[in-house]
Each structure stands twice: as C-alpha cells, then as structure tokens.
C-alpha cells in the first residue's frame, strides 16, 4: 500500500525467484511515489492516472530488472480461506510477456465495454474499477508504445513527469503532452480508449486458395512459361497458379491500423497494411503456392484486442490434433484405472 513518502509490501513463505513476488508489488508501491505523490493527480476522480501509469511502469521496470515474469501455480490452499496455496510450482515455460499483456487482458476483457474511462472513477460500474484503472490503461499504454515506439513513449512519460511534478495534472494534460511529444494527432486513439468504451477485435474471417484461371506468362522458379488453363482445382491445368483470398474482419467497434501476414506453403510471406476502418477487407494474391495460414496483427501491436484466438487461421484445419490428444489422454486414464483395479482384485 502506498502512503506519502512511505509504502508497505507483503510477501509469503516459499516464493520462487522469478515468479514476480514480492518484487512486483514492491516496485509498484514504490512507483506511487512518482505517480500520484510527485505527479499529484486526483486519484479519487482519475485513478487511472496513477494506477494505470504505475501498472505500466511497474511492468517495464520489472522486465528490465528481472526479465519476464513466470507463472507460479500454488497448491494446498487452506480450505475456507482466501489465502493462496503455500506450495508453489513455477512453470518455466509460461511467461507473462510484459505482465500487462496476458494477465492484464484477463481482467480487462470482462469490462471492455462496461464504462467509458473518462467518467469519474468513483462512478465506474462496481467491480470494473480496477480493470479499467489498472489493466485497461496498461494495455492502451503498451499499445501506444508498440505504435509509437518505446523512445517516443518514454519521452511522453518523462515529459509528463517533468512538466507536472509537484502539480496537479488532469487527463487532458496527459493527452496534450502525448500529442506534443509524438508530434501527431492522437485524438482518434484517446477518443476510443478513453472518451468511449470501444472494444477492439480483429479477426481472419476466411481463407481459401483455389487454382487460378490464368492465361499468360507464369513465373515458375525463375523461368517464364506460357500457360492457359481453366479455373478448376487441379493446379497444373492453370499453370500451377493459385488464387488466394483472405478476408479480414473488424469484429469490434474499435478502429486501429493493423498488418495482415499471409504465409504460403512454399515459405513465401506477404505482408499488407490495412487502416482497419471498414468492417472487412479482402486480400487477393495469385502465387505458385497455396496459402498455409494468415494472421492479422502478427506483431501483437494492438494489445487491446480482446480475442486473439480469431487473429489467425490455417487454410487446412488441424481439427484431428485435439481429438488425438484427448483420446490419448483418456486412454492413459483408462489404463491407469485398469492397472489400479488389477492391483486390488
Ligand atoms: Zn497502486
């Protein structure tokens, strides 16, 4: 907990190093000496100005000092309490890539359209306060970092700090500094993430590759060759040229420029930029190879995208893989059960 010139932090027994505790909370509470103490915002009305900026700077600081935070699963929770289990297991492979990312999205997603961030914090819909103040701000700051680059975002934060230390900034003061330092209009962004409650979600709606109807010179591994063929599924008839169509859809109300990556079976990649404004857009490619898969926002720029699972699509379904996995798992349990049964009988 933060107090002027003083803060407290908690810890527990058996904390594996790398799991983020108690380092994270220590950095966070110390961070409040900057965001709200030196830059004296009104946390009653604009909690996001200290909690949000502080959540973001906590993650950045943690990552610089300790690297990526790893997921810790705790077991043996005392029943009937809200204590966490005392036995920790750190799962090395599961990392919070900049802890504002996965961890923060889990909370924010539930409150994405619940309230505009711009109304006074004390009027937020109950239970959404922390999701909007902490998680949403961290996600849109991280999105802005990806969009403008760290050098620019760092300059925005340090300019805001220098200009408003020992003073009382309001949200519009932060936005004015951001536009001045970035040297561009960012109203389109703040209008959506702050003054409204737009939800961002881009999806690959459909992908297909069909044999193309072509007549003309076709590039086959560097050799030009004349072909004339009908459009049927046998690619050889069409000179081995496939017409690939990828439809990208803006599912959410929020608008953000996105890249679309198309990866073909021969390993070739095509990357297109889309302003993301209209509800959908179709990308067409004619190439000597079928599409393997397509991804919208392949670099994870838009961290506010509330559904990442629809951001990519394989042309050929791999639906059998989960079936194989679950069949194997059930067979293992069955084998275990029979072995145990056999032991006692
Ligand atoms: Zn805090």
């Amino acid at each position: 907990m933060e107090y002027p010139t003083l803060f407290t932090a908690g810890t527990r027994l058996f904390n594996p190093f790398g799991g983020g505790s108690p380092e994270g909370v220590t950095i966070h509470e110390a961070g409040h000496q900057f965001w709200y103490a030196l830059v004296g915002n009104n946390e009653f009305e604009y909690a996001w100005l200290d909690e949000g900026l502080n959540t973001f700077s906590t993650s950045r600081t943690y990552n610089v000092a300790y690297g990526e935070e790893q997921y810790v699963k705790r077991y043996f929770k005392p029943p009937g309490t809200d204590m966490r289990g005392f036995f920790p297991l750190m799962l090395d492979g599961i990392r919070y890539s900049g802890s504002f990312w996965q961890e923060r999205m889990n909370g924010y997603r539930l409150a994405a359209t619940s309230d505009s961030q711009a109304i006074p914090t004390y009027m937020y819909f109950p239970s959404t306060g922390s999701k909007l103040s902490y998680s949403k701000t961290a996600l849109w700051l991280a999105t802005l970092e990806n969009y403008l680059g760290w050098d620019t975002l760092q300059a925005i934060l340090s300019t805001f700090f220098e200009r408003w230390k020992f003073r009382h900034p309001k949200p519009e003061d932060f936005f004015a500094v951001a536009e001045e330092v970035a040297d561009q209009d960012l109203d389109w962004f703040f209008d959506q993430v702050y003054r409204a409650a737009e939800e961002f979600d881009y999806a690959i709606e459909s992908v297909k590759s069909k044999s193309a109807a072509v007549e003309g010179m076709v590039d086959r591994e560097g050799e030009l060759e004349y072909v004339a063929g009908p459009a049927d599924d046998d690619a050889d008839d069409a000179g081995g040229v496939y017409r690939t169509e990828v439809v990208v859809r803006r599912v959410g109300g929020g608008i953000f420029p996105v890249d679309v990556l198309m990866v073909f079976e021969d390993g070739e990649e095509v990357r297109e930029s889309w302003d993301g404004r209209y509800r959908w857009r179709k990308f067409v490619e004619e190439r000597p190879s079928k599409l393997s898969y397509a991804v919208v926002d392949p670099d994870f720029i838009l961290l506010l995208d509330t559904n990442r699972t629809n951001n990519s699509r394989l042309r050929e379904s791999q639906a059998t893989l989960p079936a194989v996995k679950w069949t194997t798992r059930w067979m293992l349990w069955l084998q275990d059960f029979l072995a145990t049964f056999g032991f006692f009988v």
Side-chain angles (χ1 to χ4, degrees):
M1 182 65 200
E2 72 275 18
Y3 309 89
T5 72
L6 171 77
F7 68 90
T8 58
T11 187
R12 57 173 65 81
L13 282 174
F14 311 124
N15 268 335
F17 182 71
S21 176
E23 294 85 359
V25 69
T26 310
I27 296 169
H28 180 89
E29 304 309 341
H32 276 301
Q33 304 304 324
F34 299 86
W35 307 120
Y36 110 52
L38 290 172
V39 177
N41 63 286
N42 179 339
E43 61 173 334
F44 189 65
E45 294 192 16
Y46 322 115
W48 69 270
L49 259 181
D50 56 304
E51 293 299 2
L53 265 61
N54 196 23
T55 298
F56 178 76
S57 48
T58 300
S59 289
R60 294 263 351 167
T61 309
Y62 185 95
N63 289 347
V64 169
Y66 301 107
E68 286 184 348
E69 189 180 327
Q70 290 164 64
Y71 180 67
V72 175
K73 174 86 182 155
R74 302 189 78 94
Y75 293 91
F76 303 115
K77 170 177 147 60
T81 69
D82 52 8
M83 291 167 67
R84 298 174 71 194
F86 70 88
F87 181 75
L89 196 64
M90 188 156 76
L91 301 172
D92 219 15
I94 306 180
R95 288 159 192 275
Y96 287 138
S97 180
S99 60
F100 42 76
W101 166 214
Q102 285 148 322
E103 185 193 11
R104 290 293 164 190
M105 176 51 76
N106 289 343
Y108 163 66
R109 182 184 287 117
L110 305 170
T113 56
S114 147
D115 257 318
S116 152
Q117 217 180 15
I119 64 166
T121 309
Y122 61 83
M123 288 173 66
Y124 284 173
F125 185 74
S127 85
T128 61
S130 73
K131 297 177 179 85
L132 292 183
S133 299
Y134 293 69
S135 301
K136 182 177 185 181
T137 315
L139 287 165
W140 69 242
L141 276 166
T143 299
L144 211 52
E145 176 189 341
N146 291 340
Y147 182 71
L148 299 170
W150 168 240
D151 289 346
T152 305
L153 192 83
Q154 198 273 338
I156 289 171
L157 292 174
S158 57
T159 306
F160 179 64
F161 178 82
E162 278 301 321
R163 193 168 297 168
W164 288 97
K165 65 186 175 189
F166 309 117
R167 298 170 68 194
H168 297 286
K170 292 206 160 51
E172 298 301 327
D173 300 318
F174 179 81
F175 304 140
V177 168
E179 292 195 321
E180 176 194 319
V181 174
D183 194 24
Q184 56 183 279
D185 171 41
L186 292 171
D187 267 341
W188 64 272
F189 184 72
F190 296 126
D191 279 350
Q192 298 185 86
V193 301
Y194 178 73
R195 299 181 190 103
E198 293 298 355
E199 181 171 8
F200 295 83
D201 184 17
Y202 284 90
I204 302 287
E205 182 163 282
S206 64
V207 295
K208 64 179 179 194
S209 292
K210 290 273 182 203
S211 191
V214 291
E215 180 175 6
M217 303 305 285
V218 170
D219 183 350
R220 276 180 169 160
E221 291 156 2
E223 296 285 315
L224 286 178
E225 192 179 313
Y226 175 78
V227 294
D232 68 33
D233 281 356
D234 185 352
D236 288 337
D237 290 349
V241 174
Y242 296 92
R243 179 184 171 89
T244 290
E245 296 185 2
V246 173
V247 176
V248 188
R249 182 169 284 281
R250 176 166 69 85
V251 181
I255 292 171
F256 195 86
V258 285
D259 275 7
V260 178
L261 176 69
M262 289 168 271
V263 179
F264 293 85
E265 285 180 338
D266 60 3
E268 290 292 312
E269 297 185 355
V270 175
R271 187 184 274 256
E272 300 277 0
S273 294
W274 179 33
D275 64 12
R277 303 197 72 82
Y278 189 56
R279 278 291 170 176
W280 59 274
R281 169 140 179 212
K282 180 156 77 177
F283 295 92
V284 178
E285 288 287 327
E286 291 201 349
R287 309 197 132 245
S289 177
K290 289 182 181 174
L291 184 84
S292 176
Y293 63 92
V295 193
V296 58
D297 189 25
D299 303 321
F300 288 62
I301 305 291
L302 180 59
L303 295 181
L304 290 156
D305 190 318
T306 52
N307 184 1
R308 288 285 324 179
T309 61
N310 61 15
N311 278 44
S312 58
R313 192 175 278 271
L314 290 158
R315 190 181 52 78
E316 288 206 321
S317 155
Q318 294 187 354
T320 50
L321 282 180
V324 169
K325 176 191 163 176
W326 285 105
T327 308
T328 316
R329 181 166 286 201
W330 276 103
M331 290 309 285
L332 184 76
W333 286 340
L334 183 65
Q335 186 184 348
D336 247 27
F337 172 75
L338 290 175
T340 311
F341 184 74
F343 176 79
F344 286 110
V345 172

